[in-house]
């Protein structure tokens, strides 16, 4: 099992903030629009450095997306930022018509996503955003696993020509990737090669998958761990190659089963290589208020559940 060390603990939203600042330094056409939450979604770094390229639209998320679409058509590279519940749910019509259908170069940042938003409760803990965005034609969907990858993903999104949705979280989580770790939109990242089970994870569940693989190794189970940071376009080749070797799958995500990473993989396997599969995620329910890590444990978004699902799916081969 390849060894990964915790280098620090930082929130992925801060990786976005630093990545946006770097993208702004790299390209003067990068602009930022925020819906009255710039410190919370870490757009304040860009705001302070480039005040003339920052627009505070207030609590008017739908209008923010429409403004960004017009700016994109004028040659700018706009990033729009809010809580993911608002930047995807409240703005769905504008994203569909003015971003995805029009194929405009708008980057949608969704911070505070998932159950780990914690105490704010179900109204803000969006668990369906990946599904909403991946169903949009032309839309790229990215869910980075740690601070470093979030920064890389933001910079890569600014360089990419087309609509992108990037998902971020609020809690501080282990940083285990380095600046030298490769990042490419649409290219899965192999973290550990194995032969008994393929564990595909995204976002905050990637670190939990690594912890699970370490424990499974002690029991003689060799787990292949692949970080699916880009859920659309999916790295079909990497997934199929892995599953043809191991013969079974566990998909891990901080999202509803419906519409998420597991759904994407299941569709791919159904068409190409039907295989036993188990899910680690949330099954058709809203979240609730609580401490982030307590909620992760309650909903089984942890290494313990990944281990159980891995053993279960291996028994089905």
């Amino acid at each position: 099992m390849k060894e990964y060390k915790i280098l620090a603990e930082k929130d992925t939203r801060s990786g976005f903030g630093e990545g946006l600042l770097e993208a702004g330094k790299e390209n003067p056409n990068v602009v930022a629009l925020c819906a009255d939450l710039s410190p919370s979604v870490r757009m304040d770094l860009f705001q302070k450095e480039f005040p003339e390229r920052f627009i505070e639209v207030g609590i008017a998320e739908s209008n923010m997306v429409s403004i960004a679409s017009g700016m994109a058509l004028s040659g700018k590279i706009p990033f729009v930022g809010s809580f993911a519940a608002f930047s995807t749910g409240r703005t769905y019509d504008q994203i569909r018509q003015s971003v995805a259908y029009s194929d405009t170069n708008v980057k949608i940042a969704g911070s505070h996503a998932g159950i780990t938003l914690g105490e704010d409760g179900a109204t803000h803990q969006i668990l369906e955003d990946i599904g909403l965005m991946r169903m949009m034609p032309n839309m790229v969907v990215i869910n980075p696993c740690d601070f470093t990858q979030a920064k890389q993903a933001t910079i890569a999104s600014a360089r990419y020509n087309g609509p992108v949705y990037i998902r971020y979280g609020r809690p501080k989580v282990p940083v285990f990737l380095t600046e030298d770790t490769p990042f490419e939109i649409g290219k899965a990242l192999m973290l550990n090669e194995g032969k008994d089970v393929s564990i595909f994870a995204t976002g905050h569940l990637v670190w939990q998958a690594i912890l699970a693989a370490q424990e499974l190794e002690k029991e003689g189970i060799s787990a292949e761990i692949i970080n699916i940071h880009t859920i659309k376009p999916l790295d079909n080749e990497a997934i199929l190659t892995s599953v043809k070797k191991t013969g079974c799958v566990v998909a891990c995500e901080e999202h509803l089963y419906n519409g998420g990473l597991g759904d994407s993989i299941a569709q791919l396997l159904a068409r190409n290589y039907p295989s036993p599969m188990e899910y680690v995620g949330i099954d058709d329910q809203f979240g609730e208020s609580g401490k982030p890590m307590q909620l992760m444990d309650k909903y089984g978004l942890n290494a313990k559940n990944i281990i159980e699902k891995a053993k279960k799916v291996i028994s089905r081969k």
Side-chain angles (χ1 to χ4, degrees):
M1 173 73 192
K2 186 175 179 180
E3 183 179 359
Y4 290 93
K5 296 181 179 179
I6 298 178
L7 306 175
E9 289 199 352
K10 297 182 180 180
D11 44 325
T12 54
R13 61 176 171 160
S14 291
F16 162 69
E18 292 200 14
L20 180 60
L21 179 60
E22 288 299 315
K25 292 177 180 178
E26 181 179 294
N27 191 329
N29 285 321
V30 171
V31 297
L33 301 87
C34 191
D36 199 34
L37 287 166
S38 59
S40 293
V41 301
R42 300 298 191 253
M43 293 182 110
D44 53 334
L45 297 176
F46 186 95
Q47 181 182 12
K48 292 173 184 176
E49 184 75 17
F50 305 109
E52 73 286 356
R53 289 154 58 186
F54 178 85
I55 300 175
E56 176 56 76
V57 303
I59 306 174
E61 294 87 355
S62 298
N63 194 35
M64 175 175 66
V65 172
S66 296
I67 294 169
S69 300
M71 296 180 77
L73 291 173
S74 301
K76 301 300 182 183
I77 306 172
F79 281 76
V80 299
S82 183
F83 288 1
F86 307 142
S87 64
T88 63
R90 188 172 288 173
T91 60
Y92 196 79
D93 179 50
Q94 286 71 29
I95 293 173
R96 183 180 187 273
Q97 308 293 0
S98 300
V99 179
Y101 175 68
S102 301
D103 200 17
T104 52
N105 194 26
V106 176
K107 321 302 174 183
I108 302 154
S111 185
H112 294 61
I115 206 79
T116 49
L117 177 51
E119 293 86 347
D120 286 11
T123 57
H124 287 50
Q125 293 167 342
I126 194 161
L127 302 172
E128 64 272 21
D129 54 314
I130 290 172
L132 290 172
M133 293 297 102
R134 82 171 249 266
M135 285 189 292
M136 295 269 196
N138 298 322
M139 184 69 69
V140 167
V141 178
I142 303 175
N143 185 27
C145 68
D146 71 355
F147 171 90
T148 302
Q149 194 167 76
K151 181 177 179 180
Q152 292 175 319
T154 306
I155 295 169
S157 296
R159 295 170 181 168
Y160 174 85
N161 185 28
V164 178
Y165 172 61
I166 320 172
R167 186 191 219 228
Y168 304 106
R170 181 174 75 171
K172 292 183 179 180
V173 295
V175 180
F176 57 95
L177 299 180
T178 69
E179 296 284 352
D180 296 330
T181 304
F183 180 89
E184 181 181 344
I185 292 175
K187 186 69 174 176
L189 181 64
M190 175 70 75
L191 296 178
N192 187 69
E193 293 191 24
K195 60 182 177 60
D196 295 326
V197 58
S198 296
I199 301 178
F200 301 109
T202 188
H204 292 151
L205 269 291
V206 175
W207 179 249
Q208 296 300 316
I210 290 172
L211 296 179
Q214 292 172 348
E215 292 303 312
L216 287 167
E217 185 181 44
K218 295 176 184 177
E219 299 183 40
I221 298 172
S222 172
E224 184 145 289
I225 308 297
I226 298 182
N227 173 359
I228 308 291
H229 51 71
T230 307
I231 298 172
K232 183 184 176 187
L234 199 63
D235 191 342
N236 296 346
E237 182 180 357
I239 292 170
L240 290 172
T241 298
S242 178
V243 178
K244 288 177 181 178
K245 177 173 58 173
T246 65
C248 59
V249 179
V250 178
C252 312
E253 58 192 318
E254 187 187 347
H255 189 272
L256 295 178
Y257 291 164
N258 290 333
L261 172 63
D263 209 350
S264 301
I265 293 172
Q267 290 181 35
L268 173 67
L269 296 178
R271 292 193 304 267
N272 295 275
Y273 195 75
S275 306
M277 182 171 175
E278 292 290 336
Y279 292 74
V280 172
I282 297 176
D283 188 10
D284 199 31
Q285 59 186 300
F286 290 102
E288 61 185 288
S289 181
K291 298 292 183 183
M293 294 306 110
Q294 290 176 336
L295 291 171
M296 290 281 277
D297 286 339
K298 175 172 181 176
Y299 289 94
L301 306 180
N302 53 29
K304 178 183 177 182
N305 195 29
I306 295 173
I307 291 168
E308 291 175 0
K309 292 296 179 70
K311 291 178 179 179
K312 182 178 179 180
V313 81
I314 289 171
S315 72
R316 295 172 52 202
K317 286 202 287 185

